[in-house]
Amino acid sequence: MARRSALSIRIVEGRNLPAKDITGSSDPYCIVKIDDEAIIRTATVWKTLSPFWGEEYEVQLQPGFHSISIYVMDEDALSRDDIIGKVCITRDMLAEHPKGYSGWMSLSEVDPDEEVQGEIHLRVEVLGSQGSRRLRCSVLEARDLARKDRNGASDPFVRLRYNGKTQESTVVKKSCYPRWNETFEFELAEPAEEKLCVEVWDWDLVGRNDFLGKVVFSVQGLEAAGQEEGWFRLCPDKSKPTEDERRGSLGSLQLQVKLRDETVLPSHCYQPLVQLLCQEVKLGRQDGQVHLVTLLDETTTAECRQEVAINLVKLFLGQGLVKEFLDLLFELELAKPCEPNTLFRSNSLASKSMESFLKVTGMPYLHFVLGPTITRVFEEKKYVELDPGKVEIKDVGCSGLHRVQTEGEVIEQGRQHLQSYLGELLDAIVRSAPACPPLIRAAFRQLFQRVGERFPQHQHAKFVAVTSFLCLRFFSPAVMTPKLFQLRAAHADARTGRTLLLLAKAIQLVGNMEPAAGRAKETWLSPLLPALQEGTARMRDFITRLVGTEEEKGEEEGEGRPLGPPPAVVKEGMLLVHKTRGKGPLLAAAAGKKLNFCLTGESLSFGKSPGAERIGAIALGDILAAEKVEEKSFGSSHVMQVVYMGTGGQQETAYLQCKCVNELNQWLSALRKVCGNNPRVLRSYHPGVFRGDKWSCCHQRDRTGLGCDRTRHGVTLQDWSDPLDPSVEAQRLFQHLQGLRGTLRDKYWELLELLEPGAARNGEDAALPEGLSRLLAVLGELERCHRRERPPPPAPALLRLQT
């Protein structure tokens, strides 16, 4: 059994943000912190007070997660970025919205005394007998304190307050992992109603000291235990009155956040559910009967349908039945009353499942087809506009011969640019049939055949059915917002964004296979009509080849199999190698250079460039930890360390710099995924570096001693390309179906009445069909398994932290 906590977060947009630049606008981006640790950075949206991001992430949380904070920042090239405001969402707030929170949240001002992080190791005890008792507090160490000084560290000391008296520890210079090992005593007050307050501060030579956090103990609870020792989370200072005058004046964020706490049972517990779903898919649709998949589609709300679709797709990919599952969905959808010109345009389970299937299996193909054209659009930054109401007239010509372009000339120039981009993109699509994954070709082939059989008098419909997914739900959204499909690292500026929007519209019109119909809505697209008509003909020929029945032997053999392991390359990219101590480490000769690192299921190898000969490699079995490095160590917060066992059996460390926090967390997640079963992983590590004769983080002088912070082996960022985990997908489906048990029964009788009027009148006494009856029994047994595995409630804490 495993306990998992995952957070799905979508940062949609902002509005009414304050202007931070002299231009009267801002360059906003967001930083997402989980318990004060930066996990995600969105792209910067330039020169706007109402930015749109639309970025979605899934984060696997560490045990003990408390809150998520989203900071809106203004990027500044000349000085430190300004903080516009933040939104803080606690775990308790998310627990009040089990189906997730969606809406606008006002930004609040950032109070430095609330920006705390880290933990402190304390031992608190009551000594002596009645009449002569003392309260002793041993301050041992702290870890991961907030960085308050410009050198990327702090100078922490501890201040203890009890019963009107104050004591302070020594100051540990330049460390966020200080060790004090100091003991303080107070005479115990009678009665013991006073609280012990342990505060951590950053000492400053000039100016006031900075608050780093505090822990407050109830001494009454301590008396019964006598002694309590452990790591305690530092909390912000909530004693000051809050001021809400500026709340709302800093703008707001539109967010979609969902917390998922999961207890994943051993895989054998889910076998009855998985086998039942697979059996239902293999049986297929039967006339006069209500299929289990139809019940699932009819009872799943629009908000949940995308998540259910992705869970089903991944589950059947793991079982090797995704082709049969999609075919069943197509057949059930086509059995409903429908028109050929509106096929698969709704957000049904069939549409969402096919869309999810393309994202899971087709992202490399998407990048192969769209990548070159998208890169060209971003690099050329041509002015493209066909709408007369939006044309900007500019001066043209050489020096001394300036003239104003006419509106017609601007539109004609834009048409030429757009037609060039469209032609290049259509060329790439037409040539891509052999590169399209066999599983996707098989899915489109059966869709093509099903629609052709359903509408024999409208043979055009089967082409539109394929393009409605390939063009309208896959290619066109990726062209419009390439950042969301990982085609670009940042969102487009206004000019490039307009070009991409027009290009996406053109792809949609080609995908509709009727460009003349689209022209009626936006007549200003008429200059592009000849190119659209030619593109429609080329798209029709491409679909014919894509779904052709002449498959190669290897393709035919691979269609019915599971998706199999992920691609050989898990993660690849250029990373800067920082200098390390001594000449022994594998990467010492590459210090100060950028190398291409390639992570596979066997090793982390590196070479001078992609495709070049590998200079060296670290076997996955030799990797002991993958962790972040303190900012002060190399002057950057985007450095990771890979701790590994060298050839001589000595522990070595490679320090590698990433370009941003997203890339850093993607590398850490990838390394932890492939090294998850390594039995030699470390339990602790040093987040600093060993320079001179001590570690920069905790000032220990033993280079080979235990680390001062615990390692984190959990994955941070989830991704489309993550390995399939059937147990997790089955658990999520169980959670969804468990909430529908009563609804499934009622919906069955409702649908049966539509098929056979009068058949459901005695539904109370009639027997349920075998599939639904077995499903309800399986859900009941899984619920009993969860009750047996549920951990007992924790004992009442003797020490109460005052937050």
Side-chain angles (χ1 to χ4, degrees), residues 420-646:
S420 174
Y421 295 138
L422 179 62
E424 179 182 320
L425 192 52
L426 287 173
D427 286 342
I429 293 173
V430 168
R431 293 195 305 265
S432 71
C436 186
L439 204 55
I440 293 180
R441 295 188 68 180
F444 279 134
R445 184 179 304 118
Q446 61 194 14
L447 171 63
F448 190 80
Q449 293 170 349
R450 288 284 184 193
V451 175
E453 293 166 0
R454 174 68 172 81
F455 299 103
Q457 304 302 319
H458 300 84
Q459 290 300 301
H460 181 69
K462 58 188 180 182
F463 290 92
V464 177
V466 175
T467 57
S468 67
F469 288 114
L470 191 62
C471 293
L472 274 63
R473 291 179 181 261
F474 200 41
F475 287 158
S476 185
V479 170
M480 192 178 305
T481 52
K483 169 70 170 67
L484 304 187
F485 288 77
Q486 300 167 8
L487 282 159
R488 301 293 296 184
H491 289 294
D493 57 42
R495 171 178 286 194
T496 305
R498 180 61 179 171
T499 303
L500 292 173
L501 176 62
L502 293 174
L503 184 57
K505 282 180 178 288
I507 294 296
Q508 286 178 346
L509 292 174
V510 170
N512 286 331
M513 310 293 283
E514 294 181 1
R519 185 182 57 174
K521 297 178 183 178
E522 296 173 322
T523 55
W524 46 266
L525 284 171
S526 56
L528 207 61
L529 185 60
L532 295 176
Q533 291 173 333
E534 181 186 353
T536 299
R538 298 184 69 189
M539 184 62 70
R540 191 182 183 92
D541 292 340
F542 166 69
I543 298 301
T544 302
R545 288 198 302 276
L546 187 72
V547 303
T549 55
E550 306 85 8
E551 300 97 10
E552 298 178 1
K553 182 178 179 181
E555 177 183 330
E556 190 67 48
E557 291 175 351
E559 282 182 7
R561 292 184 178 181
L563 183 64
V569 177
V570 179
K571 178 74 176 170
E572 186 174 12
M574 301 296 291
L575 299 173
L576 175 66
V577 181
H578 281 286
K579 184 178 180 181
T580 55
R581 181 180 181 273
K583 298 182 179 179
L586 184 64
L587 288 161
K593 298 179 182 177
K594 270 194 173 182
L595 296 179
N596 174 262
F597 282 80
C598 182
L599 179 64
T600 67
E602 299 177 352
S603 66
L604 175 65
S605 61
F606 47 93
K608 291 184 178 179
S609 60
E613 182 181 354
R614 301 286 92 181
I615 299 173
I618 304 171
L620 293 189
D622 291 332
I623 295 179
L624 309 179
E627 299 291 341
K628 296 181 181 180
V629 179
E630 276 191 309
E631 179 180 354
K632 69 173 184 177
S633 300
F634 298 103
S636 171
S637 57
H638 307 142
V639 180
M640 68 174 177
Q641 56 178 303
V642 179
V643 185
Y644 64 96
M645 194 62 67

Side-chain angles (χ1 to χ4, degrees), residues 133-173:
R133 295 193 300 165
R134 302 185 311 280
L135 177 63
R136 175 183 291 175
C137 180
S138 298
V139 181
L140 305 176
E141 56 186 324
R143 61 190 178 197
D144 196 27
L145 299 180
R147 286 83 174 148
K148 294 292 186 178
D149 296 339
R150 304 185 74 176
N151 58 16
S154 289
D155 303 321
F157 69 95
V158 177
R159 179 179 294 158
L160 297 93
R161 300 179 187 273
Y162 177 71
N163 197 25
K165 297 181 180 179
T166 301
Q167 299 186 55
E168 293 184 354
S169 73
T170 57
V171 176
V172 180
K173 295 292 187 69

